[in-house]
């Protein structure tokens, strides 16, 4: 596994249930490095709650015998708290992890991979890329975009006086807008797709989470939040700050650097050339989350896409840890029977057609 976030550690936990496999995690920083790098004010939008005993494993847990709500006593976790949870799980289950080892290249030879890291070369029959998306922030892709600060950086969350402009109105844009309204600023969010209006379908990957809706309602009630269903077309610098020009001809001026809440890309880093790319830019996978170009190379984490389905939350992509582990175990001729416990706990999905079920009410 490359990457010691929930995807890499979670896949390693499932592999640990297969007798006789040799496996380990390579991490360029520390366990949960992405969460340690999260801006301090950022919290999870998926709540944690210990429903494990009744078959409803904590939404943010990566193993069914664990629950961040139980160990940390918190429902909406901060990045630091989640990193603490991941570290505790890694220690408890003794997941072999190599720290401070950045993977710079991965080479496929006849029957094995050579993984070149800053701490030496590792050889493996199978590689799971779990490097996450946080290292791949997407720019708004408009003239002057470099003048913006991305939502992933601490600077986007620092208290601001006067008008604030946020480009992008999905989860992170609304999160930031509410944050700045709560701090007393006047905020404008611009987004031609106006995702804050999406009400169809019950999949949280395509509509704002309930907590975001509640915060949005409160922020709108202050009269200091404006949502504009128009595309930003350029960002210009002037004497008094910045001007964000809109497709409809209008302009919003702000004394502070505009914030780009324009999401993240797949972040495949050193394995990018080993995956084919779908027309929408995400990696092409077979039905087992394996590269269609490079057999033996799997993807774990939020960049998984199958058809129109997105696996961008922990509770979604964790469904695949045990599936990939079972496949790897079977290919190596090992007994994978212990993975039935993952299935029993509702943490193993093979048939992805069931994921599209809509709620009746
Ligand atoms: C702002 C934000 C908020 C989110 N909120 C939620 C939420 O509320 N609920 C939810 O379920 N999901 C949420 N997600 C989605 C998802 O759960 C996170 O993106 C999560 O971090 C993905 O886990 P991961 O293990 O794939 O990647 P990460 O947690 O990013 O872990 C990847 C690890 O790989 C390491 N790494 C990267 N490249 C290399 C390399 N070349 N060599 C060695 N190591 C490397 C990194 O240092 C990092 O530790 C959020 C995502 C973002 C960006």
């Amino acid at each position: 596994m490359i990457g010691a976030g929930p995807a890499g550690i979670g896949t390693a936990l499932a592999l640990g249930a297969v007798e006789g496999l040799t496996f380990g995690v390579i991490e360029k920083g520390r366990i949960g490095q992405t969460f340690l790098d999260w801006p301090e004010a950022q919290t999870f939008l998926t709540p944690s709650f210990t429903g494990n005993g009744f078959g409803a494993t904590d939404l943010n847990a990566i193993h069914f015998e664990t629950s961040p709500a139980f160990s940390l006593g918190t429902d909406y976790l901060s990045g630091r708290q989640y990193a603490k949870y991941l570290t505790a799980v890694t220690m408890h289950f003794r997941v072999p992890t190599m720290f401070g080892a950045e993977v710079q290249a991965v080479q496929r030879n006849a029957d094995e991979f050579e993984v070149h890291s800053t701490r030496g070369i590792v050889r493996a029959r199978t590689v799971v890329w779990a490097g996450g998306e946080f290292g791949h922030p997407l720019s708004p892709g408009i003239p002057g975009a470099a003048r913006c600060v991305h939502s992933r950086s601490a600077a986007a969350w620092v208290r601001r006086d006067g008008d604030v402009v946020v480009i992008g109105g999905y989860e992170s844009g609304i999160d930031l807008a509410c944050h700045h309204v709560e701090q007393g600023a006047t905020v404008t969010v611009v987004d031609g797709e106006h995702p804050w209006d999406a009400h169809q379908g019950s999949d949280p990957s395509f509509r704002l989470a309930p907590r975001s809706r509640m915060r949005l309602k409160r922020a709108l009630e202050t009269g200091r939040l404006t949502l504009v269903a128009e595309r930003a077309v350029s960002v210009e610098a002037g004497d008094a700050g910045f001007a964000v020009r809109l497709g409809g001809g209008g302009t919003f001026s702000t004394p502070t650097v505009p914030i780009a809440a324009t999401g993240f890309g797949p972040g495949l880093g050193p394995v990018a050339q080993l995956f084919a790319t779908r027309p929408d830019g995400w990696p092409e996978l077979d039905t087992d989350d394996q590269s269609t170009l490079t057999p033996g190379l799997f993807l774990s984490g939020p960049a998984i896409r199958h058809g129109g389905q997105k696996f961008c939350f922990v509770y979604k992509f964790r469904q695949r840890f045990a599936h990939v582990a079972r496949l790897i175990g079977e290919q190596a001729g090992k007994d994978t029977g212990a993975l039935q416990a993952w299935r029993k706990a509702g943490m193993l999905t093979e048939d992805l057609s069931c994921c599209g079920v809509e709620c009746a009410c």
Side-chain angles (χ1 to χ4, degrees):
M1 273 62 60
I2 303 173
I9 300 292
T11 308
L13 291 172
L15 284 171
V18 179
E19 279 289 309
L21 282 180
T22 306
F23 63 93
V25 181
I26 304 178
E27 165 58 50
K28 68 178 174 186
R30 290 153 61 193
I31 297 169
Q33 187 61 54
T34 288
F35 296 93
L36 295 171
D37 292 341
W38 267 20
E40 222 170 296
Q42 173 124 26
T43 61
F44 268 61
L45 60 93
T46 46
S48 270
F49 194 89
T50 314
N52 301 36
F54 282 75
T57 305
D58 187 318
L59 282 186
N60 301 312
I62 55 168
H63 189 283
F64 50 89
E65 288 168 0
T66 71
S67 158
F70 166 69
S71 52
L72 297 161
T74 306
D75 45 10
Y76 290 98
L77 305 162
S78 69
R80 293 211 160 260
Q81 286 176 313
Y82 197 62
K84 195 170 171 191
Y85 160 75
L86 291 177
T87 306
V89 172
T90 307
M91 299 302 155
H92 179 80
F93 290 98
R94 297 175 198 273
V95 177
T97 309
M98 178 159 75
F99 305 106
E102 178 171 1
V103 173
Q104 296 175 318
V106 175
Q107 200 177 314
R108 177 82 166 115
N109 296 331
D111 57 354
E112 63 174 19
F113 290 90
E114 251 181 32
V115 178
H116 296 252
S117 86
T118 47
R119 288 187 61 190
I121 297 175
V122 176
R123 290 189 172 77
R125 189 165 26 188
T126 306
V127 169
V128 179
W129 174 255
E133 61 195 359
F134 199 66
H136 189 173
L138 292 179
S139 139
I142 55 175
R147 296 194 171 97
C148 300
V149 60
H150 195 271
S151 60
R152 61 157 272 159
S153 75
W157 296 79
V158 168
R159 190 185 181 122
R160 292 156 178 241
D161 293 322
D163 295 334
V164 176
V165 177
V166 179
I167 300 172
Y170 194 43
E171 285 294 357
S172 54
I174 296 302
D175 193 2
L176 267 157
C178 293
H179 169 76
H180 286 297
V181 168
E182 286 155 11
Q183 305 261 313
T186 301
V187 182
T188 304
V189 181
V190 298
D191 191 327
E193 310 255 311
H194 49 99
W196 51 79
D197 283 334
H199 293 295
Q200 278 179 353
S202 33
D203 187 340
S205 296
F206 299 96
R207 56 188 292 151
L208 289 178
R211 190 185 63 146
S212 307
R213 290 190 173 279
M214 288 161 62
R215 288 180 71 206
L216 180 60
K217 186 167 175 284
R218 281 199 299 272
L220 286 168
E221 281 166 1
T222 64
R224 286 185 283 107
L225 174 60
T226 310
L227 303 174
V228 180
E230 273 189 70
R231 201 173 167 269
V233 292
S234 70
V235 178
E236 291 157 25
D239 293 343
F242 301 85
V244 177
R245 303 212 184 279
L246 304 184
T251 299
F252 282 102
S253 298
T254 166
T256 58
V257 180
I259 299 168
T262 36
F264 296 85
L268 298 177
V271 296
Q273 80 289 356
L274 299 177
F275 283 92
T277 307
R278 300 182 356 156
D280 62 2
W282 294 90
E284 187 92 62
L285 303 174
D286 68 11
T287 50
D288 297 317
D289 303 348
Q290 191 170 203
S291 164
T292 53
L293 284 186
T294 317
L297 173 63
F298 292 84
L299 176 64
S300 181
I304 299 175
R305 298 282 185 284
H306 287 289
Q309 281 167 359
K310 296 183 185 178
F311 288 70
C312 54
F313 292 115
V314 172
Y315 78 89
K316 290 183 167 190
F317 63 72
R318 73 183 183 187
Q319 295 301 114
R320 306 295 282 171
F321 299 159
H323 177 67
V324 167
R326 186 173 59 77
L327 216 81
I328 294 171
E330 282 172 359
Q331 279 168 2
K334 308 288 183 192
D335 178 3
T336 61
L339 288 169
Q340 286 309 320
W342 288 67
R343 186 190 302 284
K344 221 173 134 199
M347 280 181 65
L348 171 52
T349 303
E350 283 136 347
D351 176 9
L352 299 175
S353 63
C354 62
C355 303
V357 169
E358 293 294 344
C359 296
C361 49

